[in-house]
Each structure stands twice: as structure tokens, then as C-alpha cells.
Amino acid sequence: MARAIKLARRGWGQVAPNPLVGTVLLKDGQVIAEGYHAGFGKPHAELAALAACGAPEGATCVVNLEPCTHAGKTPPCTDALVSAGVKRVVFGVRDPHPDARGGADRLRQSGVEVEEGLLREEAAALNAPFLWAHARPERPFIALKVATSLDGLLADQGGQSKWISGTEAREFVHWLRAGFDAIAVGRRTVEVDDPLLTVRGPVEPRVPPSRVVISRSGMLRRNRQVVRTAKEIPTIVVTSSHMRDQTEADLAKTGVTVLGADGMEEVAAALRQAGVQSVLVEGGGSLAGALLEAHLVDRIYWIQAPLWLGVGVPAFGDREGMPLENTIRWAVTERRGLGQDTLLVVDRELCLPGS
Ligand code: AOF
Ligand code: ZN
């Protein structure tokens, strides 16, 4: 299953709104074929593995997601597994998609032995945006990316943040961006850092993520990079409802889409209505803090650099305190080194359909 999850990740940036899926076929404990869902509209992982396999009769199929039952862009994986003579299917998490779900029952009815829940947490974390899109369709999956010093600061006391983290971490962020529908920042980040917020890394996404600027006041200068390139890359500004018309007038003919929303919940709902299923929030601290305080953050990608600044810009702005007994402990879903920096990925809650 760990191998299936690793294979699934090869579809990063190519499959959304579909899930990432990898499959390993085994016989007598030996791997006989592998496959993964390489892109939206392309063969499902099970079909790719079966196509790569000479003699699948009697094999065990290990896949991170329950095999589908629907004839979508490709025929149902359950039927393909049954006709290929696969004897046993082991999967990680159930498929919540209303058309595709029910694969386990269908396989059992056809006499296939089915085991579910192997590396369930890992499989759920892998496809959190897809799983949440079905469990909670009113808002996108929201992830925060923060790169800080050892003492949790985004920038030094002069506001300098280039570069707290190293090249490996910056490459990772470009890889990360490729897997999200949108990249969001607050107005101050656009004004101060003037980022382009595009993907310039090892993975070219099938659909480039939209850029989102969240700005209560709306005021955004037309000479900022995100505004100047809005005709080429979809760019959304979310402002308070009473500033919407003014902001639209200010940004007329730039290609920027202006949405009105009051409060973080409405911002999230407005983005979902605009078609955004997953968003990576890259700062600044006050936006990150406001989202956390509103319990709207599903995941944090925290990159910690080995340096100390003492005084500077806090990662989550100035917030009210949270007594220990009222706070929650997040689930650690990944922990690894990025050059000299350390990546920690935590999920507030795992989405486990059918449990
Ligand atoms: C599987 N194996 O590799 C994937 C599955 O748009 P379609 O026709 O490709 O169908 C997408 C739906 O199928 C998706 O929403 C999810 O429920 C399931 N994805 N299922 O058995 C795969 N990618
Ligand atoms: Zn399928």
C-alpha cells in the first residue's frame, strides 16, 4: 500500500478534481505489475496496472482508493478486476463519489475477497482535497504554507523574508502549488512582496492554479504582478461586499475577477462557488491567523529553517490566546527534511468516508 500511495503521487498536479490513485498487483507476494492514474480523463490506476500485466488471474490488487463502479471516462475498475480474474482486492479508503462508490460490495458479490482500511490514514491524507469535496461541499480544502525561523517568524524585524528557507524548500513549494486549484495570499503580501504566485518547478500542472488575493479593503494597485498578469492566469480578488463594486471599477479591464464576501466563512464559500476545490494559502500572517481562528484551516505545511530572529513578523499575526485545554492536537501526516530545513505536515482532522 505504501508503494501504491507513492505511485499515486506521480499524478500530482494532473488529476484534479479526480483523486490520486496508485495500484500494485501481486502474486505469491511478488509484485507483477504497477499502475497509477496519470491524469484527468486518463485510465484509472487499476486499468493501467492490468494493462501492464501479462497474467493477472489469481492476483491480489492493492490500491489506495476503493475501485470504482461507474462507467465514466473509462469502464468500471471493479468489472475490469473481476474479468481479469483478480482474486483479492486490498484498498485504503472508500470512494465517496456518488457515481463511483460501492466498489467493495460489488467486488464481494462477484466473489472477490476484499479487505479495506490498510494504511487508511495515509490514504485519507493523500486525497484529503477529494474526500473533503464530497464530505463538505460548501467550502474548499484549505491548506496553509508557512516558512518560518526556529522562533516562528516569517520575516526579520525589517520585514525581510527572502530567503528564510533554502532552495530545496522553495522547490518543494513550487511542487506543492501544482497540486492546488488556487494559491491565496492577503493584500499586504501582494503589496509588500509583489509575488507572481505561479508554478515554476519540477511539475507542470494540467491546469495552472488561480491566484486569489483576499483583501477586505479591496485596494490593490494595478502595477502588482498578479494584476498585470491576470489576463494570462486566472486571478480572483475577494473583498468585502460593500467594496465589491468599487474594487471592480478600480481593476476594470485587468482581467481580475472580483468577488464580495464578509468574513472568512463567506470568503471560503465564495471561492468554492467560483469552482475552487482546494486552496493553498501562502500568507501573510494575519490571513493565516484569521483562517485558523475561524477553524477553516484543514492542513498546515510548515517549513522550519534553522535560524533564529528574535524579533520579526509572527507567522500567524497577533491572535487571542487559546488555553491548552481548549485546543486540539492535529494529526501529523508527514515529517521530513528539505535540505537544511524541516517540513512538518499536520491535518486538523482526517476525512474517513464510511467510518
Ligand atoms: C478508481 N481508480 O484510478 C481513479 C478513481 O472522471 P472519471 O471517469 O475518470 O472518474 C473519476 C471518478 O472515479 C473519481 O471522482 C473517483 O470517484 C474515481 N476515481 N477510481 O477506481 C482510479 N482515479
Ligand atoms: Zn476506476
Side-chain angles (χ1 to χ4, degrees):
M1 186 61 82
R3 175 69 186 154
I5 290 174
K6 204 164 175 190
L7 289 164
R9 280 185 192 273
R10 294 193 189 163
W12 186 258
Q14 316 307 319
V15 300
N18 275 356
L20 293 161
V21 188
T23 299
V24 179
L25 291 172
L26 299 113
K27 251 191 207 175
D28 305 320
Q30 301 291 313
V31 173
I32 54 167
E34 295 181 333
Y36 64 98
H37 185 42
F40 184 79
K42 298 210 171 135
H44 285 186
E46 299 90 320
L47 298 185
L50 287 172
C53 185
E57 308 79 31
T60 292
C61 166
V62 180
V63 52
N64 57 287
L65 184 76
E66 180 181 25
C68 70
T69 53
H70 76 306
K73 295 175 193 67
T74 53
C77 290
T78 39
D79 298 4
L81 291 165
V82 171
S83 4
V86 167
K87 192 177 73 180
R88 186 164 167 250
V89 170
V90 181
F91 72 87
V93 277
R94 289 197 197 166
D95 188 340
H97 192 288
D99 301 332
R101 67 196 303 166
D105 290 345
R106 183 126 142 204
L107 287 165
R108 283 194 187 104
Q109 282 155 14
S110 308
V112 178
E113 197 186 313
V114 180
E115 187 190 321
E116 76 171 88
L118 186 63
L119 295 188
R120 198 157 163 259
E121 277 82 12
E122 286 85 342
L126 174 77
N127 277 314
F130 168 78
L131 299 174
W132 280 120
H134 289 278
R136 195 192 54 202
E138 71 280 5
R139 70 163 176 90
F141 176 78
I142 302 179
L144 276 183
K145 181 230 87 185
V146 274
T148 74
S149 61
L150 289 171
D151 45 348
L153 300 173
L154 293 175
D156 67 12
Q157 56 185 332
Q160 183 69 24
S161 63
K162 280 186 175 129
W163 298 104
I164 285 185
S165 51
T167 39
E168 286 91 341
R170 295 204 296 277
E171 229 169 71
F172 167 76
V173 171
H174 280 284
W175 175 85
L176 193 60
R177 283 179 178 174
F180 283 83
D181 287 352
I183 313 298
V185 293
R187 185 186 68 91
R188 233 174 306 159
T189 300
V190 174
E191 287 300 337
V192 176
D193 299 342
D194 194 18
L196 194 53
L197 301 176
T198 52
V199 181
R200 304 179 301 278
V203 168
E204 180 153 354
R206 184 179 72 89
V207 181
S210 303
R211 284 96 47 97
V212 175
V213 183
I214 297 166
S215 164
R216 231 176 320 180
S217 71
M219 292 183 294
L220 198 66
R221 282 181 290 155
R222 293 173 73 103
N223 68 356
R224 301 291 85 187
Q225 293 207 80
V226 284
V227 179
R228 285 194 346 238
T229 56
K231 287 202 178 99
E232 292 93 67
I233 308 146
T235 307
I236 301 170
V237 172
V238 192
T239 186
S240 47
S241 52
H242 74 279
M243 285 307 295
R244 207 201 78 91
D245 293 350
Q246 178 65 49
T247 307
E248 201 164 58
D250 289 347
L251 297 173
K253 299 205 169 75
T254 55
V256 170
T257 301
V258 181
L259 304 175
D262 300 311
M264 285 302 162
E265 297 234 358
E266 274 193 25
V267 168
L271 288 175
R272 184 66 193 85
Q273 274 159 27
V276 174
Q277 270 194 19
S278 62
V279 52
L280 180 67
V281 178
E282 295 206 20
S286 41
L287 175 60
L291 285 166
L292 272 171
E293 212 163 63
H295 307 292
L296 287 169
V297 177
D298 298 306
R299 173 174 291 174
I300 301 176
Y301 292 94
W302 182 37
I303 297 160
Q304 188 195 51
L307 50 88
W308 185 83
L309 294 167
V311 177
V313 182
F316 303 107
D318 292 321
R319 314 310 310 178
E320 281 176 22
M322 176 72 93
L324 193 50
E325 66 267 25
N326 292 350
T327 196
I328 57 147
R329 212 168 277 272
W330 296 45
V332 175
T333 52
E334 203 178 339
R335 206 167 4 200
R336 67 182 157 105
L338 290 171
Q340 292 299 298
D341 304 326
T342 305
L343 170 71
L344 176 68
V345 186
V346 290
D347 282 27
R348 196 162 55 101
E349 194 189 336
L350 291 172
C351 186
L352 297 164
S355 60

